[in-house]
Amino acid sequence: MSSVKKASSALISVFHKDGLEPIVKKFQELGITIYSTGGTEKFITDLGIDVVPVEDVTSYPSILGGRVKTLHPKVFGGILNRQDNESDVAQLAEFDIPQIDIVIVDLYPFEKTVASGASEQDIIEKIDIGGISLIRAAAKNYKDVTCVSSMEDYADFLAVITENNGEISLEDRKRFAAKSFNVSSHYDSAIFNYFNKNHDIATLKISETSGKVLRYGENPHQKGFFFGDFDAMFSKLHGKELSYNNLLDVDAAVNLMLEFKNDSPTFAILKHNNACGLAQRNNLHQAYVDALAGDPVSAFGGVLISNKEIDKATAEEIHKLFCEVVIAPSYNAEALEILKGKKNRIILIQNEVEMPEMLVRTCLNGMLLQDRDHKTDALGDLSYATNNKPSEDELDDLLFASKLCKHTKSNTIVLTKNKQLCASGTGQTSRVDALNQAIHKAQSFNFDLNGAVLASDAFFPFPDCVEIAGKAGITSVIQPGGSIKDQLSIDYCNENEISMVMTGTRHFKH
């Protein structure tokens, strides 16, 4: 049979009516018989267009409060019959089953209902049965039937039937079928994940329907893709397209700044997923200036993020630096015009979006999942391990350093003073190496470490780190504790008037 088919009938049953009217009017113009039911039937009738109620075909009304409307052999026979199969065609005639060439159907908004905080009963009622069955049937039989399963495809479908006078090619039918199975598989994944939200069944189902092809991956010879609703999380005001590496840095920046969301003006500068500058001050301009002072060399080409609106004075300072991305909750008009002065600089407004609860990464021939690290070390978590107790200012610095340490690649040591990052040692195989790196870096940028504090993402198995730190001028330490040799580090601190607090929580980041 010909791969191009001219449609003569269509079944329409949709929850969302937006964008449907032009299609229905085109069907009327092309002489296509329309079958429908319920609210969709009324919508079409109200347009003054003839429609055949599904009940007239099945001789059964909609029953069980609308739960059963289209689940009938006379409907599914019209969709699933193979038109090049003589037996199928004969049975259509025998049982008076109308051929259905087009199925337009969408699904109850299950995910939106869950997100709204609706009751379990309301959520269960939004599990579509008839719609999902129609989609699977029509998409399976794409050789003879066209399935349109989302209002997002209405314009595409309307263009096809308009340009071809109601004829639809096999290529287009198969393309719409692929889109339909994308819809149905995503829908079923969402339902499963709702029922398995406690992960009692050790099965992973991830489905992201919003995707974007990136210029390349981590390196130019690698392909790269982003799957997720970036536009829901950010409003992009200016600049080039974000790269794979930009997105990784933006992710690191956002997660770090969440720790300071409701704090005084805080500014961070990140490079290769780690902060190279961080400061908290009474005004944003000074916070940026002091964040930049943490490492003005690494800041070149970095990602900048603020927890407050960026003003003109801050923008003028930022504009002196070559940076890839600037992120803030808002910008005043003057600041925005200044920052737009570099055509490729990416300027983002961060919107209020809930972050995923589970973190996923590939591992070997599978995947690893874990809960997001929601634990932020607070004053009430601290146990005072040494005779010498930290001062109030030191406690503020310790908690400030701990927040940053949590978001820095392990092994890491973070040195801060007066709520400013002096330096950090990042991603080292030895904690001693991380400390030595941090001290060397801080001193190379002329930081005075006398009175600075130290944060470690994990415990000290030996007293070597606190000894090195003490000799560099550091006066207070925050660490998880838990080593069988904790006492060795405590003893050294006591002997050298260094205060130490323990949090009881490790924050590895690999």
Side-chain angles (χ1 to χ4, degrees):
M1 297 181 69
S2 170
S3 64
V4 175
K5 290 191 174 291
K6 189 171 182 66
S8 61
S9 60
L11 170 64
I12 309 176
S13 180
V14 296
F15 185 87
H16 300 99
K17 313 299 188 295
D18 297 345
L20 185 61
E21 182 176 343
I23 293 175
V24 172
K25 288 182 174 178
K26 177 56 67 173
F27 284 171
Q28 181 187 41
E29 179 186 322
L30 294 170
I32 293 173
T33 300
I34 300 173
Y35 300 92
S36 191
T37 186
T40 310
E41 177 192 341
K42 182 179 184 303
F43 173 83
I44 297 169
T45 301
D46 288 347
L47 292 174
I49 295 173
D50 291 339
V51 57
V52 179
V54 167
E55 292 88 339
D56 288 359
V57 176
T58 64
S59 298
Y60 270 88
S62 172
I63 60 172
L64 307 182
R67 279 190 165 197
V68 180
K69 291 181 283 190
T70 56
L71 294 167
H72 193 281
K74 283 200 170 184
V75 174
F76 282 85
I79 296 169
L80 283 166
N81 73 89
R82 295 155 292 187
Q83 293 178 31
D84 58 354
N85 183 297
E86 291 183 6
S87 176
D88 285 6
V89 173
Q91 286 188 320
L92 289 187
E94 179 182 356
F95 296 107
D96 193 25
I97 299 173
Q99 168 64 36
I100 297 174
D101 301 312
I102 298 169
V103 172
I104 300 177
V105 61
D106 64 5
L107 302 172
Y108 292 156
F110 178 81
E111 288 178 282
K112 286 184 178 179
T113 305
V114 172
S116 73
S119 68
E120 183 169 62
Q121 184 55 43
D122 287 341
I123 290 169
I124 297 305
E125 287 305 316
K126 288 299 185 290
I127 297 177
D128 208 311
I129 303 301
I132 201 82
S133 301
L134 290 169
I135 287 173
R136 291 181 64 83
K140 173 180 178 176
N141 202 29
Y142 70 87
K143 288 186 177 180
D144 293 309
V145 180
T146 303
C147 183
V148 182
S149 56
S150 169
M151 59 188 297
E152 293 176 6
D153 295 325
Y154 286 177
D156 182 10
F157 173 72
L158 181 60
V160 168
I161 60 172
T162 299
E163 291 169 12
N164 301 296
N165 198 33
E167 293 187 339
I168 307 169
S169 68
L170 178 61
E171 180 183 6
D172 281 331
R173 295 197 300 275
K174 191 170 184 178
R175 180 168 60 85
F176 282 115
K179 290 185 174 188
S180 298
F181 283 121
N182 180 37
V183 168
S184 65
S185 62
H186 178 77
Y187 196 76
D188 284 337
S189 293
I191 294 169
F192 170 77
N193 288 332
Y194 170 76
F195 280 94
N196 194 44
K197 54 191 169 188
N198 295 326
H199 304 283
D200 297 325
I201 303 172
T203 298
L204 173 65
K205 293 193 185 298
I206 298 174
S207 180
E208 286 288 352
T209 56
S210 298
K212 186 174 186 179
V213 179
L214 304 175
R215 283 176 290 163
Y216 49 79
E218 202 160 4
N219 300 292
H221 62 278
Q222 296 171 272
K223 291 181 179 179
F225 305 86
F226 173 76
F227 293 98
D229 192 353
F230 184 86
D231 292 339
M233 186 157 191
F234 297 102
S235 300
K236 183 167 177 279
L237 304 181
H238 183 74
K240 63 182 180 180
E241 290 298 310
L242 282 91
S243 69
Y244 183 99
N245 292 327
N246 286 155
L247 289 166
L248 286 176
D249 282 333
V250 167
D251 177 71
V254 166
N255 283 296
L256 171 60
M257 196 52 72
L258 282 173
E259 301 285 348
F260 304 95
K261 182 178 177 182
N262 298 314
D263 289 4
S264 299
T266 306
F267 213 105
I269 303 171
L270 287 91
K271 195 75 173 288
H272 295 292
N273 309 158
N274 293 302
C276 58
L278 177 70
Q280 187 173 99
R281 295 292 181 259
N282 292 326
N283 64 79
L284 193 64
H285 173 264
Q286 195 60 49
Y288 170 73
V289 169
D290 290 348
L292 180 63
D295 186 348
V297 175
S298 295
F300 182 86
V303 169
L304 281 56
I305 187 166
S306 164
N307 70 342
K308 304 294 182 186
E309 178 176 277
I310 292 182
D311 55 21
K312 179 183 178 183
T314 308
E316 286 175 338
E317 290 296 330
I318 293 171
H319 194 57
K320 299 173 185 177
L321 174 73
F322 169 72
C323 58
E324 290 275 334
V325 185
V326 183
I327 309 165
S330 59
Y331 305 80
N332 73 26
E334 291 176 303
L336 187 57
E337 284 309 305
I338 292 167
L339 294 175
K340 284 182 175 180
K342 299 284 179 69
K343 69 174 184 178
N344 287 329
R345 180 184 286 146
I346 299 164
I347 303 173
L348 302 175
I349 289 178
Q350 184 179 342
N351 303 319
E352 291 283 344
V353 174
E354 207 170 293
M355 300 291 279
E357 284 297 315
M358 299 298 294
L359 304 180
V360 185
R361 66 194 299 180
T362 58
C363 179
L364 301 175
N365 62 342
M367 305 182 90
L368 282 172
L369 274 80
Q370 66 173 346
D371 294 332
R372 179 175 293 277
D373 184 357
H374 284 298
K375 177 63 177 175
T376 296
D377 298 326
L379 196 61
D381 300 316
L382 306 183
S383 62
Y384 298 86
T386 52
N387 298 329
N388 194 28
K389 303 296 188 288
S391 67
E392 286 190 21
D393 287 343
E394 284 177 327
L395 281 171
D396 285 345
D397 272 344
L398 289 168
L399 294 174
F400 179 83
S402 177
K403 290 178 179 181
L404 175 54
C405 194
K406 171 183 169 182
H407 293 276
T408 306
K409 189 172 177 64
S410 300
N411 284 316
T412 185
I413 294 289
V414 170
L415 307 179
T416 68
K417 185 177 180 180
N418 300 325
K419 292 190 177 178
Q420 178 185 21
L421 171 63
C422 301
S424 58
T426 62
Q428 298 301 304
T429 53
S430 156
R431 198 158 301 283
V432 171
D433 286 347
L435 174 56
N436 283 327
Q437 181 192 47
I439 292 171
H440 172 76
K441 189 172 182 181
Q443 292 173 343
S444 71
F445 289 114
N446 299 316
F447 279 98
D448 178 7
L449 292 179
N450 288 301
V453 307
L454 178 156
S456 174
D457 60 340
F459 63 61
F460 300 120
F462 304 103
D464 45 8
C465 280
V466 290
E467 182 178 351
I468 294 168
K471 290 177 179 177
I474 288 155
T475 57
S476 194
V477 174
I478 185 169
Q479 58 123 335
S483 168
I484 59 173
K485 296 183 179 180
D486 273 345
Q487 195 60 45
L488 295 177
S489 294
I490 294 170
D491 289 344
Y492 183 88
C493 287
N494 281 331
E495 291 164 7
N496 292 274
E497 297 186 341
I498 300 170
S499 61
M500 178 187 287
V501 297
M502 294 184 180
T503 65
T505 304
R506 187 182 74 186
H507 290 291
F508 270 162
K509 184 174 184 288
H510 294 111

